[in-house]
Amino acid sequence: MGLYRRGNIWWMRFSYNGKQIRRPTVTEKKLAEKIYCKVMTKIAEGKWFEVNQHEDNTFEEMMDKYLLEYSPKKAPKTYMRDKSLVAHLNRYFGHYKLNKIAPKDIYAYKIERIKECAAPKTVNNELILMGHAFNLAIKEWEWVNDNPVSKVSKEKVSNQIERWLTFEEEKRLLETSPYWLQEIILFCLNTGLRRGELIDLVWDRVDLERKTFTILEQKNKCKDTLPLNEKAIEILMARNKIRSIKNDFVFYNNNGNKIGPDNLDRSFRLAVKKAGIEKFRFHDLRHTFATRLIQNGVDVYAVQRLGRWKSISMVMRYAHHYAESLRSGVEILDKVQNNFSTNLAQSHKKGITAIAVIP
C-alpha cells in the first residue's frame, strides 16, 4: 500500500497517468487507509481527477480529521465537548458531500435541533464548531472553496443569569451539607473559583503567609495570583492541619484522593434538594461571588480581575442588582430635592426680612 508517514501525517503515494502523486491524508492510520482505498477505487473506475480529488469528501470525513488533528490541541474538557457536538452533527450531515452542503441544509438542521429541545447556546456551539472545521477545510486542507455556515444566522441567546444565593439560602444549604462540602461551598463563595479550579487546587499554589493563591491552568489561558479574604484563609488553615499524605490537593475525598467532578456535583445537588433551593447549580456559587461584590459597591474592573473574566461585558452577565442594592441611587434624588427646598425656603425668608425693614 502506498502509504508512508511524515511527521504526524500519513501520506499516500500513487501513480496517475504516468505521474507520481503524493497527497497528505490524516494522522490516524486506519482512516488514512480508507482514504487511500477510496482514491484507488476511483482511479480504477476512471472517476478520479487530480484537480478535484477532494470533491467526494464527506462531512463525516471532515469531522474525523478535525477530531484527530485539531481538537486534541484543546483542553481535555473542550475536546470531549467537541466529540459530543460532532456526534449530533454527524447524525444529520455525516453522509453529505462537503461541496453539496448548502446554507438551507444548515438552517434546516438548526430548526430540527430546536424542535428536539436543544438549547440555543448548544445549537450555536454546534454551528461554530462546524464553521471552524469548514474554515480549516478551505484554508489548510484545500477540500472545499466555500463555508456555508458563515451564511446562516446564529440563535439568539440570553446571557442574563438571574440566579444567585441569598444569605438565607446559604444558611439552609450549609445546614444540609456534610462538613467537607460546607468548606468547599464557603471557599467558592469567597474566591469565585470554578469547579475544576477548586478540584485542581494544590498547596504549592497557596501562600498562607501572603494570603494569596495562584491559578495556572484556567479558562482565560492566564496565570493569576489573587488575594484571599479572612474566611478563605480560615478554611485553608483548617485544611492545612489535615493535609493528605497521598497528594498535594487542598480538597480531597474520603480516600485522600482527588475529588471526582461527578461525585462533587452529585453531593451538591443532593444538598441543594434537601435545602429546598430551586434551580441552583454549583457554578452559581461563582455567580454569587460576583453578584455580592458588585451589590456591595466593588468596582466592576476589580470584580473582573478577581474572577478572571476576559472582559467587562462578561462580568456584567453576573452583575445583577436587587431592589435594595439600588435604593441608595434613587435616595440621592430625595437628598437633592431636600437641599433645593431648604435653599429655596432660606432665600424666601431673607427676602421677607428685607422687605420688612424698608422705611
Side-chain angles (χ1 to χ4, degrees), residues 284-322:
D284 290 327
L285 296 173
R286 175 171 165 82
H287 181 196
T288 302
F289 165 80
T291 302
R292 288 180 178 179
L293 290 176
I294 291 182
Q295 287 181 349
N296 286 277
V298 178
D299 180 72
V300 175
Y301 178 73
V303 177
Q304 178 195 353
R305 295 297 302 276
L306 289 170
R308 295 154 288 114
W309 286 283
K310 284 186 178 180
S311 65
I312 293 293
S313 61
M314 294 182 71
V315 180
M316 298 311 297
R317 292 178 54 206
Y318 299 87
H320 307 298
H321 293 281
Y322 61 104

Side-chain angles (χ1 to χ4, degrees), residues 186-213:
L186 288 171
F187 196 76
C188 287
L189 286 173
N190 286 275
T191 59
L193 284 182
R194 301 177 179 92
R195 183 189 63 181
E197 294 168 345
L198 180 283
I199 291 173
D200 292 337
L201 185 63
V202 292
W203 284 109
D204 289 346
R205 300 176 189 172
V206 175
D207 190 331
L208 292 175
E209 185 175 342
R210 294 177 57 207
K211 297 183 179 181
T212 62
F213 71 113

Side-chain angles (χ1 to χ4, degrees), residues 90-336:
N90 276 341
R91 180 165 55 88
Y92 190 94
F93 292 108
H95 64 285
Y96 275 68
K97 292 182 180 179
L98 289 179
N99 59 4
K100 298 298 182 181
I101 298 177
K104 65 178 182 180
D105 300 315
I106 300 171
Y107 177 78
Y109 169 80
K110 185 175 69 167
I111 298 302
E112 181 173 311
R113 289 290 285 137
I114 293 172
K115 288 180 179 178
E116 293 174 350
C117 297
K121 188 175 187 300
T122 300
V123 176
N124 287 347
N125 286 339
E126 292 168 359
L127 296 186
I128 290 169
L129 181 68
M130 183 179 181
H132 190 201
F134 262 104
N135 283 336
L136 290 174
I138 294 170
K139 299 175 182 178
E140 298 187 18
W141 309 337
E142 297 182 354
W143 282 16
V144 288
N145 298 317
D146 187 40
N147 185 348
V149 184
S150 64
K151 301 173 184 178
V152 180
S153 62
K154 303 297 189 296
E155 286 298 291
K156 185 176 181 180
V157 178
S158 174
N159 287 327
Q160 206 71 9
I161 302 174
E162 299 291 347
R163 196 67 176 96
W164 72 88
L165 201 65
T166 66
F167 287 104
E168 191 276 332
E169 287 174 329
E170 178 186 335
K171 180 175 180 295
R172 282 159 38 203
L173 180 58
L174 293 175
E175 289 174 349
T176 59
S177 301
Y179 184 73
W180 67 270
L181 185 56
Q182 289 179 20
E183 288 186 317
I184 288 176
I185 290 171
L186 288 171
F187 196 76
C188 287
L189 286 173
N190 286 275
T191 59
L193 284 182
R194 301 177 179 92
R195 183 189 63 181
E197 294 168 345
L198 180 283
I199 291 173
D200 292 337
L201 185 63
V202 292
W203 284 109
D204 289 346
R205 300 176 189 172
V206 175
D207 190 331
L208 292 175
E209 185 175 342
R210 294 177 57 207
K211 297 183 179 181
T212 62
F213 71 113
T214 301
I215 304 295
L216 300 180
E217 298 296 331
Q218 53 184 314
K219 197 171 180 179
N220 65 5
K221 308 289 185 184
C222 297
K223 172 183 176 180
D224 291 298
T225 298
L226 302 163
L228 292 159
N229 66 3
E230 290 303 320
K231 186 61 182 179
I233 287 292
E234 178 186 325
I235 293 170
L236 289 175
M237 293 293 286
R239 298 296 305 168
N240 190 39
K241 293 178 181 179
I242 55 170
R243 288 175 68 161
S244 172
I245 59 174
K246 293 185 177 182
N247 55 58
D248 197 36
F249 292 111
V250 175
F251 299 95
Y252 49 83
N253 61 22
N254 291 333
N255 297 321
N257 299 319
K258 184 177 180 179
I259 298 174
D262 292 339
N263 292 332
L264 177 55
D265 279 345
R266 191 180 303 112
S267 298
F268 184 78
R269 287 196 301 267
L270 180 61
V272 168
K273 184 177 180 180
K274 287 182 178 179
I277 301 173
E278 297 183 355
K279 297 181 180 179
F280 192 79
R281 311 159 299 168
F282 189 90
H283 189 74
D284 290 327
L285 296 173
R286 175 171 165 82
H287 181 196
T288 302
F289 165 80
T291 302
R292 288 180 178 179
L293 290 176
I294 291 182
Q295 287 181 349
N296 286 277
V298 178
D299 180 72
V300 175
Y301 178 73
V303 177
Q304 178 195 353
R305 295 297 302 276
L306 289 170
R308 295 154 288 114
W309 286 283
K310 284 186 178 180
S311 65
I312 293 293
S313 61
M314 294 182 71
V315 180
M316 298 311 297
R317 292 178 54 206
Y318 299 87
H320 307 298
H321 293 281
Y322 61 104
E324 289 307 311
S325 72
L326 299 173
R327 188 173 301 281
S328 60
V330 294
E331 286 177 348
I332 291 293
L333 298 177
D334 292 329
K335 184 177 180 181
V336 171

Side-chain angles (χ1 to χ4, degrees), residues 75-93:
K77 290 181 181 178
T78 306
Y79 172 62
M80 294 305 296
R81 189 194 70 169
D82 283 358
K83 292 180 69 175
S84 176
L85 297 178
V86 168
H88 287 292
L89 290 165
N90 276 341
R91 180 165 55 88
Y92 190 94
F93 292 108

Side-chain angles (χ1 to χ4, degrees), residues 29-40:
K29 187 177 180 180
K30 288 184 178 180
L31 182 57
E33 290 173 349
K34 289 181 181 179
I35 294 173
Y36 178 78
C37 289
K38 183 177 178 180
V39 171
M40 292 298 99

